[in-house]
Amino acid sequence: MKKLLLTALIVAFSELTAATPFFGDEIILTTGKKGTGTIVAENASSVSIETSVGGSKVRRVVPKNRIYSIEQGGKVRVLNESEAGKKAAEASAIASIGSSAKEPVVRTPAEVVAIIERAGKTLPDWFESTPLEYPKTLDLSFPKDVDGWDNQRNFGQYVWDVINPNQSRWRGAVKLAAFLREKNKNRPEVVMRIDQTIGEFYFRFFQDYPRAAYYWRLSGLDKNLEAAPWLAPYLGECYWKLGSKKMALELFEKSQNQYPWIKILADMGELEQALELAERLAQTNLADYAFVYAGDACRTAGEYDRAIEYYQKVLDVEPTPQRTAENMERNTKRARANIVGINVFNRLDLTKVPDGVYFGESVGFAGTVRVKVVVAAGKIASVEVVEHQEKQYYSSIADVPRQIVERQSLKDVDAVSSATATSEAIVNATAKALAEGLERGAKGARE
Amino acid sequence: MIDSQMKELRTELSETETSRINEELADDKSLKNGGVRKRRGKRALFRRVARRCAQGAAAFFFGVLFFYVCCPYPTDAPRTSNGWLPLSVDGESGRVSLQNPSGEPVLERGATRWLVDASSEPAATLGEFRVVESRSTQEQENASSTGGAETAEVVETTLEPVAPLALEQLDALTLTFGEITVCESDPDAPPSHCARRLTEKTSTFGRASTALACDPLVGAVAASGSRRDWNDRIATVVVAAAILALSTLFARAFCGWICPMGAAVDFVDFLLKPIRVAVHKLLKINNLNQKLKTSRALRSTDFRFFLAAALIGATFAGVAVVGWFAPIPTLTRNADFGFAPFQTAAFRGWGQVPAATWGARISLVVFATFFGLGVFGKRAFCRWICPSGAIFSLFGRLKIFGYSIDSARCVDCRRCAAVCSFDAISPFETETGESGKAGVRVGATCVSCGECAAVCPRNAIVFRSVFKNLAPNATAEEARASSRRSSRRRALGFGIGVGVSTTLGALFGRSTTSAANSDSASSFVRPPGALDERMFLQRCVRCGECFRACPNDALQPIDLDGGLARLWTPRLNANWSGCEPSCNNCGRVCPTGAIRPLEIAEKRRFVVGTAVVDKDACLPFADVEDCRLCFDECERAGYDAIEFVAVGTELDENGRPVEGVGFLAPVVSSERCVGCGLCQARCFAINVRVQDKLTRSAIRVFPRR
């Protein structure tokens, strides 16, 4: 992991292009285009950069008059001034913050807070160009308690019914929330709830951890978790993703009984704490959730036998009247699919899968998820979700397949926040598809 | 007026007279086989062959236009293939070598492809490239990974930019190490493969509507109305005017030499000959005299003139029903209803052929009747019904070149009258009856086919300019004078007939269109580019070209449920299929501009209707199950006009919505929906036909007002 000194901040270039396993030198062109590799030659007019494409080394010769900056051996040289180049350099610095790195960056709490403050005070580049749209009937005063359900009147209900399901409206949601904040700026209680909401938008829609954390902290959440206890685990996740496990664990100490912590603790490597929490929550009426999350936690940690044990427990949970039958059924299905998934991919040797196109399916949040897997030259060439009923969490539909191809593995795929079920389903379906390929290969070998 | 000679034939030829003529002919040394000769010399034979060739060529050209140019198949979408690896890039010229993904064949040299940098977010188009070289090499695979040396085939393709790249594109290409996607067409432009096929074929064979433009009534419809969209119709009007001019110059030559409907009637008449003979026997039309008498009686109705007048009256009163009987629209429409399904089946299988509509069946029955009339006489449709032929007949009176009979040579054998398919030759007798010798003359219905000249035993019938007078002949002059006297009497009746039928037609047109315009419940979605309903009815000649040009048979004829005014006009049957986004064919094959030709980008914005969700049926709204068929379909077509809304949300004890309950249901954005009907087609195909969950599509397209 290399570090780049940029103004006063130390910013890590973690996984800029995860597709390139080798992190070396970087060239940014005046148009903002970036490329990483090893700089192997340089003369008065051009620079040669080498990297690996499809297993073989390739070299590109770049004329120097088109280069904005070269980063070589940790040192950055700017060759030509360019706005686009400058922007690209900054964007890559910001993008690297909190990206889903396999080995997370470790930062001091002060550094994390600095990142949050810096990013939070800027607006995303799409903010200006996003139009402000809302139904004319919307109650702009954002009252705390509303009667009944009217998604054209009440902001929270509008978000739930209309914004959440439509990715095309997510940016507009941030814009609308900012508009409401301005309208109600003299009412601190409303501003607090709007800041919570904005934080949620950045977290759920864009996985923009610095900005999410910024708005949650602005609402005073870090000091008073009682204001919105359900957000605590997510703020914790932000801290962890930004490099401070310590801050996350401190938050956990203050807000124990939120089951999303199970997953986050497991992601942070605190399996035992996660399982302890799960066991505790299993005593409540959230037993099915607790066990599913515990199973996921074990799976993340690579403890497959224990994972299956927990998933098995989900199947044995007695339905309680408080839980909706639908949720119960969903968790049961998920547990079953995961047991199958683990069984399948544990005995999977990817190198033995013959080239071909395979299909597999599993159960997601809302129904069948079907994937198409292309194996070429002993590698997973592409994974594509061809059929799904998933609702709001489109990001996992694109993100998880990308991760699988990048990692060439089904293990350690980082689930998109709050879309665990969908991510798991894609992994499980891919595993099944590959298992089918393996079987076909074995049959072929026998014949 | 045309048939002014009818009264002149007062006497029938007696048996003795016939034999007298035959004797006379037998004396003629130039005759063989006793004078019953059908061909007279090489010139007549040549003329006959030439006419058949012309008819055949015109029919063939017509077939090519309808069954090839207008046919949208095959509709292969441009291919894209992923996973090309950029092995080398020249950072100056943009020349790039890619390694093909396994299974991708070598590309043809000179082919153009669009390259897309798939590794960037979002994917960036790198521009259009031309294949310089594409070759396959055997490559040794890494021995250590497989445990043994194996050879694998590797295809490498080198391309260079068609035009110099923009700096952004060049930079993106230079530093791209991830996968490249290779597309057959510009990935940033909306797909236009259906439209492009039509463009290619049109540039080779001409506009698909050229054949229709030959019909003077279609031309008249195209010429009617405002100048606003003149460009869409000018081609039709020009061709129609040219054909009319030609037919005026050479007496109705279109009917005899070009008209594909005429050719079809000729062919069917040939097949029907045994039946016709039998029918004539049954009706006791045994000899020439009775035949002449019969056809004279039929001719005297002048029905086709009145029909033409009524149709034109109706058209100018607001509904272009000329196409009901005008020959070319009739032919194209029935070719579509009768033959196009087989063509579609050949390309796509019977599963893709929609069920015949009642409108189509009615049209086919009427069409068959037109041909069936051939059992009574040759060219029955052309003589008795064809309104375009009536127009040609009227203009044919102004002819400059045509056939005429030299009375001096005529022996009154009447073979010409017998052979004439069009009853254009009328025997007559002078009023004085001098020398008892009758005569024959050619009327305005003549189509210049020349069959008469071919059978004339004395070469008395010749094709010539009307200004070139034949030798003065007292008998002919007298006959002409007598016909002039009688035609004055007839002209009055004819004029009244035309006036009455025009009025009736106009009344029909006015009443049907006013009914149609006030008919707010009309649920017919018109094709993209269609004029507003009032103008559309006035301009649409019901030719059926748009049905044939529609790649998914989304356009189908309206049955009688739209009233007579809308019979056989196109509507979008979105239960069958939606409007293909890459296609703008219907507007480009329309001969009269009832559907205006639109560019693809324009067509994609043209609003034909709006989709409306039927909340009682829609599965998520009705709280049955999740369903996103319409959403996916709309997104795939690039309209993005359907959004989700959460329905059936349940609240927990704190009043917060419970995650995972309820469904996401579709909501149509009225700003973005163009009414293409893809959503309806999808819902119908899956939920109604395949899965039987619904009895009607839960999202349906209605015309927007």
Side-chain angles (χ1 to χ4, degrees):
Chain A
M1 200 63 49
K2 305 179 49 53
K3 286 182 183 164
L4 156 68
L5 197 70
L6 198 82
T7 61
L9 270 178
I10 298 171
V11 173
F13 267 87
S14 57
E15 296 212 345
L16 222 174
T17 46
T20 327
F22 174 74
F23 290 96
D25 308 326
E26 185 181 64
I27 295 180
I28 297 179
L29 301 184
T30 50
T31 52
K33 175 70 186 177
K34 281 174 283 200
T36 44
T38 314
I39 290 174
V40 287
E42 183 176 348
N43 60 29
S45 63
S46 67
V47 175
S48 297
I49 184 166
E50 197 176 79
T51 189
S52 137
V53 166
S56 49
K57 285 253 180 292
V58 299
R59 184 179 293 195
R60 299 279 195 271
V61 182
V62 188
K64 272 190 172 170
N65 60 4
R66 277 166 42 203
I67 296 176
Y68 165 71
S69 68
I70 302 174
E71 186 210 341
Q72 190 178 12
K75 291 196 189 79
V76 179
R77 283 176 287 157
V78 174
L79 304 191
N80 298 289
E81 275 311 317
S82 140
E83 275 306 304
K86 206 172 190 170
K87 263 197 176 156
E90 277 177 12
S92 72
I94 288 179
S96 67
I97 301 172
S99 75
S100 53
K102 188 64 202 88
E103 291 166 50
V105 200
V106 179
R107 297 197 182 90
T108 65
E111 284 168 353
V112 169
V113 171
I115 289 172
I116 291 173
E117 291 296 320
R118 178 170 171 267
K121 281 181 178 138
T122 63
L123 288 170
D125 50 8
W126 42 259
F127 188 86
E128 276 303 312
S129 57
T130 304
L132 176 67
E133 279 175 330
Y134 58 91
K136 291 282 158 284
T137 48
L138 198 71
D139 184 347
L140 300 180
S141 66
F142 197 17
K144 188 170 167 50
D145 296 308
V146 292
D147 287 333
W149 192 267
D150 181 353
N151 63 25
Q152 295 296 297
R153 181 173 169 75
N154 305 317
F155 178 67
Q157 299 168 358
Y158 175 68
V159 169
W160 180 267
D161 276 2
V162 179
I163 305 260
N164 281 351
N166 298 300
Q167 194 171 6
S168 59
R169 289 185 180 267
W170 291 353
R171 290 177 174 183
V174 175
K175 188 95 176 186
L176 176 56
F179 172 69
L180 289 186
R181 193 178 196 278
E182 183 60 29
K183 277 245 160 196
N184 296 290
K185 61 183 171 198
N186 298 325
R187 300 164 61 206
E189 190 273 331
V190 176
V191 169
M192 181 192 80
R193 280 186 291 120
I194 291 175
D195 285 340
Q196 286 171 6
T197 311
I198 295 177
E200 264 189 89
F201 288 164
Y202 278 120
F203 184 85
R204 265 194 309 136
F205 297 154
F206 309 108
Q207 288 85 52
D208 187 339
Y209 304 114
R211 288 196 179 94
Y214 174 80
Y215 280 95
W216 280 333
R217 288 164 63 94
L218 201 60
S219 78
L221 186 67
D222 56 329
K223 301 195 180 64
N224 175 21
L225 285 172
E226 287 314 301
W230 64 90
L231 292 177
Y234 302 122
L235 180 59
E237 188 174 353
C238 291
Y239 288 153
W240 177 64
K241 293 275 185 186
L242 292 174
S244 178
K245 190 166 153 184
K246 183 164 169 277
M247 287 171 83
L249 287 174
E250 274 171 20
L251 212 57
F252 173 58
E253 291 305 318
K254 286 192 264 177
S255 127
Q256 294 257 334
N257 289 334
Q258 293 293 331
Y259 64 86
W261 277 118
I262 303 172
K263 174 185 175 338
I264 293 162
L265 287 170
D267 285 350
M268 291 194 294
E270 300 294 328
L271 182 63
E272 295 314 318
Q273 283 206 57
L275 294 181
E276 193 188 312
L277 174 61
E279 292 289 353
R280 198 163 66 235
L281 290 174
Q283 308 303 316
T284 70
N285 59 18
L286 293 172
D288 49 340
Y289 276 102
F291 288 137
V292 166
Y293 277 65
D296 291 350
C298 295
R299 196 175 173 181
T300 308
E303 303 210 7
Y304 299 115
D305 293 340
R306 279 174 88 185
I308 290 180
E309 245 169 67
Y310 277 110
Y311 289 135
Q312 196 59 48
K313 280 185 185 175
V314 179
L315 306 181
D316 305 333
V317 168
E318 287 292 318
T320 53
Q322 290 97 324
R323 306 299 311 143
T324 64
E326 229 173 304
N327 277 343
M328 187 73 210
E329 194 191 324
R330 183 168 294 133
N331 284 327
T332 316
K333 271 190 192 165
R334 202 170 133 186
R336 249 187 227 122
N338 282 347
I339 292 173
V340 175
I342 289 173
N343 282 334
V344 170
F345 81 59
N346 271 359
R347 58 183 162 85
L348 197 69
D349 182 358
L350 194 61
T351 56
K352 292 210 173 77
V353 179
D355 289 3
V357 180
Y358 308 107
F359 291 90
E361 53 185 49
S362 187
V363 181
F365 189 76
T368 305
V369 172
R370 195 170 146 79
V371 298
K372 176 178 147 189
V373 182
V374 179
V375 177
K379 285 174 66 185
I380 304 176
S382 81
V383 176
E384 188 190 344
V385 178
V386 289
E387 194 184 311
H388 72 96
Q389 299 279 338
E390 300 308 290
K391 296 181 176 183
Q392 337 187 339
Y393 308 115
Y394 299 108
S395 47
S396 57
I397 300 288
D399 192 56
V400 175
R402 188 178 54 76
Q403 288 191 50
I404 293 174
V405 175
E406 277 171 12
R407 287 163 206 259
Q408 290 294 317
S409 163
L410 298 175
K411 296 169 191 173
D412 312 324
V413 170
D414 186 60
V416 174
S417 305
S418 62
T420 327
T422 310
S423 307
E424 276 175 7
I426 296 170
V427 170
N428 290 342
T430 310
K432 277 196 204 170
L434 292 173
E436 185 218 309
L438 200 61
E439 224 163 79
R440 218 189 285 172
K443 216 180 276 173
R446 272 201 301 278
E447 275 161 9
Chain B
M1 215 180 324
I2 306 301
D3 306 312
S4 57
Q5 306 92 339
M6 49 164 282
K7 287 184 184 168
E8 292 160 12
L9 190 66
R10 297 204 187 86
T11 56
E12 291 171 14
L13 291 175
S14 67
E15 292 295 323
T16 51
E17 268 174 313
T18 311
S19 61
R20 178 185 59 77
I21 291 165
N22 282 337
E23 273 165 33
E24 191 180 312
L25 291 175
D27 292 341
D28 191 325
K29 297 237 166 23
S30 67
L31 299 179
K32 294 168 193 165
N33 306 331
V36 198
R37 194 177 58 161
K38 288 218 166 156
R39 301 276 178 280
R40 189 178 177 81
K42 282 182 187 161
R43 188 190 283 178
L45 181 65
F46 171 77
R47 194 184 289 128
R48 184 160 221 212
V49 170
R51 186 168 80 95
R52 291 301 184 209
C53 287
Q55 278 186 311
F60 180 75
F61 183 58
F62 170 85
V64 166
L65 288 182
F66 187 81
F67 288 111
Y68 179 70
V69 177
C70 208
C71 173
Y73 309 122
T75 51
D76 299 330
R79 265 168 36 86
T80 61
S81 62
N82 307 316
W84 297 62
L85 298 175
L87 296 184
S88 73
V89 175
D90 178 1
E92 302 283 350
S93 69
R95 190 183 164 105
V96 56
S97 282
L98 304 173
Q99 185 183 316
N100 300 27
S102 64
E104 280 294 326
V106 294
L107 298 180
E108 198 183 319
R109 183 174 303 181
T112 58
R113 291 288 188 276
W114 294 79
L115 302 189
V116 176
D117 179 6
S119 63
S120 71
E121 185 64 43
T125 304
L126 299 171
E128 191 179 12
F129 289 72
R130 184 173 289 113
V131 177
V132 181
E133 193 181 9
S134 187
R135 63 193 167 84
S136 150
T137 51
Q138 301 286 320
E139 196 177 80
Q140 289 260 311
E141 262 189 19
N142 193 344
S144 63
S145 70
T146 52
E150 284 177 21
T151 54
E153 197 172 322
V154 175
V155 180
E156 207 178 305
T157 301
T158 305
L159 306 101
E160 59 187 19
V162 169
L165 297 177
L167 188 59
E168 281 79 10
Q169 292 173 322
L170 196 57
D171 276 1
L173 188 66
T174 310
L175 283 186
T176 288
F177 303 113
E179 291 182 353
I180 301 274
T181 299
V182 175
C183 312
E184 283 183 355
S185 71
D186 184 355
D188 296 335
S192 62
H193 45 279
C194 281
R196 202 167 53 239
R197 278 196 65 78
L198 182 64
T199 309
E200 285 162 11
K201 290 191 277 192
T202 305
S203 65
T204 315
F205 294 98
R207 287 165 59 104
S209 59
T210 312
L212 280 150
C214 295
D215 198 310
L217 287 174
V218 175
V221 171
S224 72
S226 67
R227 295 175 59 91
R228 196 170 53 92
D229 52 347
W230 189 243
N231 285 342
D232 307 342
R233 306 174 268 148
I234 187 82
T236 305
V237 176
V238 166
V239 174
I243 292 286
L244 195 58
L246 172 87
S247 273
T248 306
L249 197 63
F250 298 102
R252 216 182 157 185
F254 176 79
C255 303
W257 290 71
I258 299 172
C259 180
M261 181 73 178
V265 171
D266 271 346
F267 181 69
V268 176
D269 282 347
F270 167 73
L271 299 178
L272 289 178
K273 190 176 178 187
I275 305 177
R276 189 165 53 242
V277 168
V279 168
H280 283 177
K281 203 170 266 172
L282 200 70
L283 298 174
K284 299 207 165 55
I285 309 173
N286 296 324
N287 58 35
L288 177 61
N289 294 317
Q290 272 157 0
K291 190 187 158 202
L292 289 174
K293 214 168 119 186
T294 315
S295 56
R296 208 178 60 216
L298 285 165
R299 204 161 32 138
S300 68
T301 60
D302 279 339
F303 174 73
R304 63 201 179 105
F305 290 99
F306 302 147
L307 179 65
L311 294 177
I312 291 171
T315 298
F316 282 89
V319 48
V321 286
V322 288
W324 285 359
F325 298 102
I328 315 292
T330 300
L331 192 61
T332 49
R333 181 176 65 240
N334 289 288
D336 183 75
F337 296 160
F339 298 101
F342 294 96
Q343 196 185 15
T344 305
F347 275 105
R348 320 177 75 198
W350 279 105
Q352 298 293 316
V353 180
T357 58
W358 274 106
R361 287 176 198 161
I362 295 168
S363 180
L364 285 170
V365 167
V366 173
F367 189 58
T369 311
F370 289 161
F371 285 97
L373 290 174
V375 302
F376 299 108
K378 287 196 274 185
R379 287 273 198 161
F381 168 78
C382 312
R383 281 188 288 160
W384 302 336
I385 296 171
C386 182
S388 301
I391 305 288
F392 282 131
S393 290
L394 285 177
F395 280 82
R397 309 216 102 201
L398 307 171
K399 71 185 168 205
I400 293 169
F401 296 96
Y403 282 94
S404 53
I405 299 170
D406 183 353
S407 306
R409 295 180 64 87
C410 176
V411 292
D412 200 18
C413 69
R414 304 186 182 182
R415 277 184 175 75
C416 52
V419 83
C420 181
S421 297
F422 279 82
D423 289 336
I425 301 176
S426 323
F428 65 89
E429 200 174 54
T430 58
E431 279 195 341
T432 52
E434 185 192 338
S435 79
K437 184 181 170 184
V440 231
R441 52 191 299 272
V442 180
T445 50
C446 174
V447 299
S448 304
C449 72
E451 294 292 313
C452 50
V455 296
C456 180
R458 308 236 358 215
N459 260 352
I461 306 178
V462 280
F463 188 77
R464 70 180 94 203
S465 157
V466 290
F467 302 116
K468 196 173 173 185
N469 282 329
L470 298 169
N473 178 296
T475 326
E477 282 305 313
E478 212 173 302
R480 214 164 282 152
S482 121
S483 101
R484 234 175 267 133
R485 279 192 297 279
S486 73
S487 61
R488 260 180 235 121
R489 290 193 296 276
R490 262 187 44 74
L492 186 65
F494 184 79
I496 292 173
V498 166
V500 168
S501 46
T502 310
T503 315
L504 288 176
L507 285 175
F508 167 77
R510 181 54 54 88
S511 66
T512 49
T513 48
S514 63
N517 289 330
S518 65
D519 181 8
S520 56
S522 162
S523 58
F524 300 111
V525 177
R526 295 296 190 186
L531 303 175
D532 70 69
E533 187 68 9
R534 194 180 63 81
M535 288 297 293
F536 185 82
L537 287 174
Q538 196 163 9
R539 208 59 84 55
C540 172
V541 291
R542 288 86 166 139
C543 66
E545 291 266 302
C546 52
F547 303 141
R548 172 68 304 194
C550 185
N552 298 332
D553 281 308
L555 290 182
Q556 292 179 9
I558 296 178
D559 294 341
L560 283 168
D561 54 356
L564 276 176
R566 292 201 181 88
L567 182 64
W568 303 326
T569 59
R571 71 171 175 123
L572 180 73
N573 181 357
N575 272 350
W576 177 259
S577 175
C579 183
E580 163 66 38
S582 74
C583 169
N584 59 2
N585 292 356
C586 50
R588 293 160 71 203
V589 301
C590 180
T592 59
I595 312 172
R596 292 193 300 114
L598 304 174
E599 292 299 319
I600 283 290
E602 211 181 345
K603 170 242 152 96
R604 288 175 65 93
R605 288 191 305 269
F606 192 95
V607 177
V608 296
T610 310
V612 177
V613 178
D614 180 345
K615 292 189 180 176
D616 297 330
C618 180
L619 297 169
F621 270 117
D623 203 23
V624 179
E625 62 181 55
D626 263 318
C627 175
R628 46 183 294 144
L629 293 170
C630 55
F631 176 90
D632 286 344
E633 197 69 4
C634 193
E635 191 185 39
R636 209 171 299 144
Y639 293 114
D640 290 324
I642 297 182
E643 285 192 327
F644 283 127
V645 67
V647 294
T649 308
E650 284 172 26
L651 307 180
D652 62 16
E653 51 273 24
N654 304 323
R656 288 173 55 81
V658 180
E659 185 92 30
V661 295
F663 302 111
L664 293 186
V667 177
V668 178
S669 150
S670 55
E671 296 102 74
R672 282 189 230 120
C673 180
V674 295
C676 71
L678 290 167
C679 49
Q680 178 179 345
R682 186 84 181 136
C683 185
F684 193 86
I686 302 295
N687 288 335
V688 180
R689 265 208 302 245
V690 176
Q691 303 196 336
D692 211 14
K693 288 175 184 163
L694 298 173
T695 54
R696 59 180 190 269
S697 179
I699 183 165
R700 295 193 294 281
V701 179
F702 294 92
R704 194 180 280 190
R705 283 169 214 295

